[in-house]
Amino acid sequence: MFFSLKWKAIVLVLVILVTLTGFLVFLNSYQLQNLARQQQQQSFEKINKEINGLLIQSYHYNLQMMDVIPLLRTESYTTENYMAVMLEENWPILQLNWNIENAALYNSEGKLIWHTHEPPQEQSQESSQEQPAPSIAISLGPDWHIDCDTSCLQVISSPILDREGDTYHLILDILMADMLIDFSRIANTNFGIITPGQSIGKEYAGHIERWNYDIKQITNPDLSLKIINDLQTQYKLEDALNKNLQLQYEEKTYDVSLTTLEKSNNGNFFIIIKDSSNSAELMNAARGFQVVVALSGITLSCVLILTFLWQPIQRLHRQAELLPKLTTGDFSEALEQLKKNRSKHWLKDEIDTLNSTEEEVCLQLTAMQEEISEQTNHLHSMAMYDSLTDLANRRSFMQYINDAFNRPNLPDNPFSLLFIDLDNFKRINDSMGHNAGDELLKIVAKRLRACVRNTDVIARLGGDEFCIILNDSHSKDGPKIVAEHILQSLRDPIKLGKAEPIISASIGLVTAPADGGTSEELLQNADLAMYRAKALGRNKYQEFDHHMTARAIENMALENDLRKAINEQEFELYYQPQIDFSQNCIVGFEALIRWRHPSKGLLFPDTFIGLLEETGLIVPLGHWIIDNACQTLRQWLDTGVKPVRLAINLSPRQLHNEELSDQISRSLHLHNLPANLLELEITESMLMQDIQFTHKQLRNLQQLGITIAIDDFGTGHSSLSYLKELPLDILKIDRSFIRDIIEDNNDQQIVNAIIAMAHQLNLKVVAEGIETIAHQSMLIQQGCDYGQGYLYSRPVPADNALELIKFDADKAMDSMALN
Ligand SMILES: Nc1nc2c(ncn2[C@@H]2O[C@@H]3COP(=O)(O)O[C@H]4[C@@H](O)[C@H](n5cnc6c(=O)[nH]c(N)nc65)O[C@@H]4COP(=O)(O)O[C@H]3[C@H]2O)c(=O)[nH]1
């Protein structure tokens, strides 16, 4: 749940302020209340004192009055009992003016000599009119006390002197009711006196049931009695004593206090009831005011704090809002906002630090993003483009083909694909170096671009393989025209440093969807068509037809058979003799491979040697051929025949195998053969591939003592300077020149020139394919050294070849015998 910082700040501030202000208000109101209570207490004490003062004042006043009583007028001065007579005469006046309830006069012996019709309070209950006049212990001075046995009275007793100087003791009962009423009026307070027990038959204003107390005097009884009733229901007597209590009655507040009545019997209490509604209202008003002040303070504080916090909170808010932008990578906008969010003043705070840190992070992220984007682009171009030629690579080309397949109008609007493989690129690459090879590929890429439209897609699939998608707008023959154009364009000499090699290409042409329903199938068929073009002599294009697939499938089956054949040792070596024209005898044999296929019978090398080379199987098989040929020669020699030279064909892969000379050495050593009995045949075109390595390899072989022969001479493009430099011993003229040598003057000339040149280079010459005596005669006439052909023998198994050697030896013996 999201709860904004702003609101958190407000709530926190509010809680703090409310708690603080509430506490202060409570403290203040508590103090006010205490003050009010104290004031009330003081006010009660004051009232108490005032009442006591009033009683004392009343006492003194009555004392003075008692002093003047003997001076009151009377007719009977002479009467013995004149004080009693005088009091009797003046009693109505005294009672009326001085508010005296009862009075009694005692003589100096303490004997009652006069009293009003009610006996004065000093009299005992037993005293009555009928009883003899009681006597009292005359006290020395005046005194007073309060008596509430019946109604509440201030009883004042004092000695008085008559005119004669005789001492009397006068006791007056002054009614307190009037005193209380007056005082109540002055003090605006209700007063009452309560006494314990139920005074049956005595005067009382009311009875307090729970306390068992009588209310002897009370002012404003209607109200006061109800309040006292509430008081007794709420408090026990002992809980209410000497305390300032507050009672609510008819929406008014009354302060009530019970205090001990001084100079009275034990258990008499003075009750004060004061209407404190005004002060309570004042108190409430004060509290209300405090609350208003507190609330205003809180509001003001909130406003002030918020005003102070508003800007920082807003800035934090803006920062919080822009953080998600960092996750979306929108750094520039985030940076823009961070700049706006910088504080304008010089007093920096944590938010400024955060802001500048975020700016820094933004800048770093922007730089990182740029770098990532650069790297991504680089990776993308690495992933999608060929770094050498800037053409699309295989991966992206496959996508292009897929896209082309996904076109909605594909069946009506087919597209074509050209699979281009440079002829003999490896030779150029090996002979001129990889840099020259790279340069050549770049030039080829440029030429290809120039041959197609911008809408066509060109890719380099790897090595010297290029592919082009010709998009829909070509005519039916358009792809063929483009293919021709490409072949034409590539034939132009290419300048690579000082050299100007001429290259060609073989192109496979397919049209989708007719020649393939998927990108893989289409590319595979284009590849097949390209191989067909190569097989048909290179430097041409070939349209795909579905027989090619069948042929490829055959090849695959053949490859499987070949692998099996190697394991099962289905290969055999046949041997064809070579004749020395000068001595007219066999000087050597050429070992020729045959495959005794379990179902197809004896197969000749032209049906499988190409595939062996292509698949690399020629390397292990070549090793077997050398070893097997050496073993056979050893067997021949062991029969005691004259030593003959054995010529073995090497494939390009074998020649470029670094372990070749070691393998041959091992075989020679194993079969205890001198190296000079071994001849290795390599074709003219193999010489030109990786010239430096070939040179080194041949030198090593020659140093072992092995004879090196160039096979099929005249069909390839060997340079005369290379022939001179390379360690060669024999040159074999291709049988195509021999075949028509009798009829074809050109062939005669060529063979003549080859023999002359070979002799010039100190090379012996072998003529292949001699089938007739005429061929032989012609070649002998031209100075050829050796001959090989059906005229002498077809290639035969090892045993037959041994027979040939033996027969040749016998023939020689015969001729020697004849001579
Ligand atoms: N028409 C005709 N042909 C004649 C005559 N005399 C010889 N030949 C044939 O000419 C080929 C000579 O071998 P090549 O030029 O090295 O040409 C060889 C050689 O390049 C390759 N080859 C044969 N055996 C091996 C081998 O063991 N290793 C390698 N790498 N290649 C081999 O296969 C090619 C063909 O071999 P083969 O079919 O055995 O064919 C042999 C041989 O049977 C003739 O008077 N008339």
Side-chain angles (χ1 to χ4, degrees):
M1 193 178 77
F2 180 76
F3 191 55
S4 109
L5 202 59
K6 179 173 62 189
W7 288 112
K8 275 183 191 157
I10 290 173
V11 168
L12 184 72
V13 167
L14 265 175
V15 167
I16 292 171
L17 285 178
V18 165
T19 315
L20 214 68
T21 333
F23 178 69
L24 286 176
V25 166
F26 168 77
L27 215 66
N28 214 355
S29 114
Y30 179 75
Q31 268 186 333
L32 263 178
Q33 212 165 353
N34 265 357
L35 208 67
R37 282 219 182 97
Q38 276 175 17
Q39 273 182 353
Q40 197 63 36
Q41 192 68 33
Q42 282 169 2
S43 146
F44 282 140
E45 280 169 13
K46 193 179 157 202
I47 289 168
N48 239 344
K49 275 182 192 163
E50 278 175 1
I51 287 176
N52 281 322
L54 204 69
L55 290 169
I56 291 165
Q57 197 183 341
S58 149
Y59 161 65
H60 285 292
Y61 172 75
N62 285 308
L63 272 185
Q64 282 173 3
M65 186 194 73
M66 284 162 95
D67 282 345
V68 295
I69 282 175
L71 303 177
L72 289 174
R73 192 172 57 86
T74 180
E75 299 301 323
S76 48
Y77 288 117
T78 53
T79 322
E80 188 187 330
N81 202 10
Y82 104 94
M83 275 301 280
V85 175
M86 185 269 290
L87 282 171
E88 187 65 36
E89 282 175 11
N90 287 290
W91 174 243
I93 300 166
L94 286 172
Q95 191 180 26
L96 189 69
N97 290 337
W98 291 352
N99 208 17
I100 300 169
E101 180 73 8
N102 294 310
L105 187 69
Y106 295 84
N107 62 15
S108 55
E109 283 93 36
K111 191 179 171 193
L112 179 67
I113 53 171
W114 177 86
H115 68 91
T116 54
H117 59 280
E118 283 291 323
Q121 296 299 316
E122 290 293 328
Q123 284 178 294
S124 66
Q125 288 295 324
E126 294 84 41
S127 68
S128 66
Q129 292 276 3
E130 293 81 33
Q131 299 290 321
S135 60
I136 60 165
I138 302 298
S139 60
L140 291 174
D143 198 10
W144 69 278
H145 70 272
I146 291 170
D147 193 321
C148 287
D149 277 352
T150 51
S151 57
C152 277
L153 303 167
Q154 185 181 26
V155 179
I156 303 168
S157 67
S158 174
I160 52 170
L161 290 173
D162 65 5
R163 289 176 187 176
E164 303 300 319
D166 293 329
T167 306
Y168 294 87
H169 203 88
L170 181 63
I171 296 172
L172 298 177
D173 289 350
I174 314 292
L175 265 177
M176 286 183 71
D178 293 338
M179 203 186 322
L180 287 179
I181 288 164
D182 289 346
F183 193 65
S184 167
R185 209 169 36 243
I186 296 162
N188 196 22
T189 306
N190 292 314
F191 301 100
I193 295 169
I194 59 171
T195 60
Q198 198 167 3
S199 320
I200 301 162
K202 294 183 180 173
E203 288 181 26
Y204 65 96
H207 182 68
I208 306 172
E209 197 67 43
R210 196 174 167 208
W211 297 351
N212 194 22
Y213 260 66
D214 290 334
I215 304 165
K216 283 293 165 67
Q217 297 287 334
I218 193 78
T219 60
N220 193 3
D222 289 344
L223 176 70
S224 300
L225 287 175
K226 284 169 184 160
I227 291 173
I228 292 170
N229 191 38
D230 279 2
L231 184 70
Q232 63 130 3
T233 51
Q234 290 180 31
Y235 299 95
K236 287 182 187 168
L237 176 67
E238 52 272 27
D239 295 337
L241 273 179
N242 298 318
K243 280 186 189 147
N244 195 11
L245 303 170
Q246 213 161 47
L247 290 177
Q248 300 290 329
Y249 182 73
E250 290 185 346
E251 296 178 356
K252 285 199 164 192
T253 308
Y254 294 93
D255 288 330
V256 181
S257 169
L258 269 180
T259 53
T260 314
L261 200 56
E262 282 182 27
K263 284 199 170 274
S264 141
N265 304 343
N266 275 347
N268 293 341
F269 297 107
F270 195 52
I271 186 161
I272 305 165
I273 300 168
K274 187 171 168 64
D275 183 355
S276 63
S277 299
N278 275 350
S279 57
E281 271 168 26
L282 278 174
M283 182 76 78
N284 285 340
R287 276 197 200 119
F289 181 70
Q290 275 181 357
V291 171
V292 169
V293 168
L295 286 176
S296 311
I298 288 170
T299 315
L300 192 67
S301 305
C302 274
V303 168
L304 283 175
I305 288 169
L306 275 181
T307 313
F308 180 74
L309 286 179
W310 191 257
Q311 221 193 359
I313 286 174
Q314 284 303 102
R315 288 174 65 204
L316 270 178
H317 182 65
R318 283 198 290 272
Q319 267 174 343
E321 271 184 344
L322 64 83
L323 275 178
K325 287 194 174 124
L326 297 186
T327 59
T328 57
D330 196 356
F331 304 127
S332 56
E333 201 187 323
L335 203 61
E336 202 60 37
Q337 286 192 14
L338 281 168
K339 278 180 189 162
K340 279 186 200 158
N341 212 19
R342 281 181 194 159
S343 65
K344 311 280 180 293
H345 53 75
W346 54 271
L347 271 175
K348 304 292 176 203
D349 54 24
E350 285 83 352
I351 301 173
D352 290 299
T353 316
L354 184 66
N355 207 72
S356 57
T357 311
E358 275 185 43
E359 271 188 55
E360 189 60 34
V361 169
C362 256
L363 286 171
Q364 284 182 9
L365 286 174
T366 309
M368 218 189 292
Q369 194 186 37
E370 279 167 9
E371 201 182 318
I372 288 171
S373 143
E374 247 174 53
Q375 295 293 338
T376 310
N377 287 342
H378 183 60
L379 281 176
H380 179 258
S381 77
M382 270 172 71
M384 305 305 275
Y385 294 96
D386 170 45
S387 57
L388 181 69
T389 59
D390 283 343
L391 298 177
N393 63 12
R394 178 181 284 273
R395 178 200 299 269
S396 58
F397 190 68
M398 293 308 277
Q399 274 182 21
Y400 281 120
I401 306 177
N402 285 334
D403 291 348
F405 267 113
N406 289 332
R407 284 181 204 160
N409 57 349
L410 179 64
D412 305 327
N413 198 1
F415 68 93
S416 299
L417 189 145
L418 303 181
F419 197 115
I420 304 155
D421 188 275
L422 299 184
D423 301 329
N424 300 321
F425 171 73
K426 189 172 176 348
R427 185 169 53 80
I428 294 171
N429 205 27
D430 291 345
S431 58
M432 300 183 73
H434 290 288
N435 287 344
D438 287 351
E439 199 52 40
L440 177 91
L441 291 172
K442 284 191 208 171
I443 293 167
V444 168
K446 255 188 207 164
R447 289 190 182 178
L448 291 179
R449 256 197 220 108
C451 292
V452 295
R453 298 172 182 170
N454 284 340
T455 49
D456 299 331
V457 180
I458 315 176
R460 180 173 163 240
L461 303 190
D464 58 344
E465 286 177 353
F466 294 85
C467 244
I468 300 177
I469 297 175
L470 299 174
N471 282 312
D472 45 7
S473 48
H474 289 278
S475 64
K476 187 169 175 271
D477 287 336
K480 291 184 208 165
I481 296 165
V482 174
E484 276 296 353
H485 190 187
I486 289 170
L487 291 173
Q488 183 66 44
S489 146
L490 292 181
R491 271 197 290 269
D492 289 347
I494 290 174
K495 201 162 171 52
L496 288 178
K498 287 180 185 166
E500 275 195 16
I502 296 172
I503 59 157
S504 62
S506 302
I507 302 175
L509 201 165
V510 285
T511 301
D515 295 337
T518 64
S519 47
E520 287 78 17
E521 192 187 350
L522 192 68
L523 209 58
Q524 195 180 329
N525 290 342
D527 192 31
L528 280 178
M530 182 274 292
Y531 269 107
R532 187 70 195 138
K534 274 208 194 294
L536 290 173
R538 308 181 170 194
N539 192 21
K540 51 173 60 77
Y541 73 85
Q542 178 65 46
E543 283 183 275
F544 172 77
D545 79 66
H546 289 277
H547 299 299
M548 290 176 187
T549 318
R551 207 173 298 130
I553 292 167
E554 269 172 31
N555 276 350
M556 264 175 63
L558 186 65
E559 190 184 327
N560 282 339
D561 286 355
L562 278 174
R563 288 180 194 279
K564 217 167 97 196
I566 293 172
N567 288 335
E568 306 281 320
Q569 297 196 335
E570 292 172 2
F571 292 98
E572 291 173 15
L573 282 181
Y574 273 49
Y575 298 91
Q576 188 177 33
Q578 293 176 338
I579 310 298
D580 183 343
F581 287 140
S582 60
Q583 295 177 28
N584 193 26
C585 66
I586 296 173
V587 285
F589 284 85
E590 182 180 3
L592 295 160
I593 191 80
R594 300 287 180 267
W595 179 11
R596 195 165 293 280
H597 195 279
S599 56
K600 294 177 188 166
L602 196 66
L603 298 180
F604 286 81
D606 57 337
T607 57
F608 59 84
I609 204 92
L611 201 60
L612 279 174
E613 177 68 23
E614 233 175 73
T615 54
L617 290 170
I618 192 69
V619 177
L621 186 69
H623 186 212
W624 176 85
I625 291 168
I626 293 166
D627 198 61
N628 195 267
C630 288
Q631 190 184 7
T632 304
L633 184 57
R634 179 72 265 160
Q635 287 166 356
W636 290 347
L637 294 179
D638 288 348
T639 61
V641 296
K642 63 163 185 172
V644 286
R645 206 171 53 225
L646 207 57
I648 297 172
N649 288 285
L650 280 187
S651 77
R653 278 193 198 248
Q654 275 178 289
L655 182 68
H656 291 106
N657 182 3
E658 294 197 333
E659 293 169 9
L660 179 70
S661 57
D662 288 346
Q663 280 175 2
I664 294 173
S665 294
R666 275 200 298 273
S667 288
L668 289 172
H669 183 72
L670 182 69
H671 302 293
N672 193 21
L673 286 179
N676 64 351
L677 291 186
L678 196 64
E679 181 187 316
L680 294 177
E681 292 188 5
I682 54 172
T683 60
E684 204 183 358
S685 53
M686 280 160 67
L687 276 184
M688 308 309 290
Q689 296 171 11
D690 196 354
I691 192 82
Q692 280 171 341
F693 182 80
T694 308
H695 196 282
K696 194 176 126 204
Q697 182 83 294
L698 293 180
R699 178 79 56 209
N700 288 342
L701 292 168
Q702 202 179 47
Q703 275 169 4
L704 287 176
I706 295 166
T707 306
I708 309 291
I710 298 184
D711 204 2
D712 304 335
F713 191 80
T715 54
H717 310 278
S718 51
S719 151
L720 283 181
S721 61
Y722 286 153
L723 285 180
K724 200 176 152 199
E725 279 172 26
L726 286 168
L728 303 172
D729 304 292
I730 294 173
L731 193 150
K732 291 183 81 174
I733 303 170
D734 190 69
R735 66 173 184 268
S736 58
F737 297 106
I738 309 299
R739 190 178 57 225
D740 302 323
I741 193 168
I742 305 298
E743 303 86 28
D744 193 331
N745 195 35
N746 280 344
D747 285 350
Q748 273 175 36
Q749 299 295 324
I750 291 167
V751 170
N752 204 9
I754 291 172
I755 294 169
M757 181 202 69
H759 286 162
Q760 202 64 36
L761 293 170
N762 266 337
L763 303 175
K764 296 282 182 193
V765 180
V766 179
E768 283 183 324
I770 301 173
E771 292 183 356
T772 63
I773 296 287
H775 288 157
Q776 179 183 277
S777 307
M778 177 67 77
L779 288 164
I780 291 173
Q781 190 192 334
Q782 290 191 350
C784 184
D785 302 296
Y786 308 108
Q788 180 183 344
Y790 293 165
L791 177 66
Y792 312 108
S793 168
R794 286 181 179 261
V796 291
D799 292 346
N800 300 23
L802 181 61
E803 292 304 316
L804 284 176
I805 302 169
K806 284 178 183 168
F807 175 75
D808 194 53
D810 293 346
K811 196 180 73 181
M813 294 282 284
D814 290 347
S815 87
M816 274 173 69
L818 283 173
N819 288 334

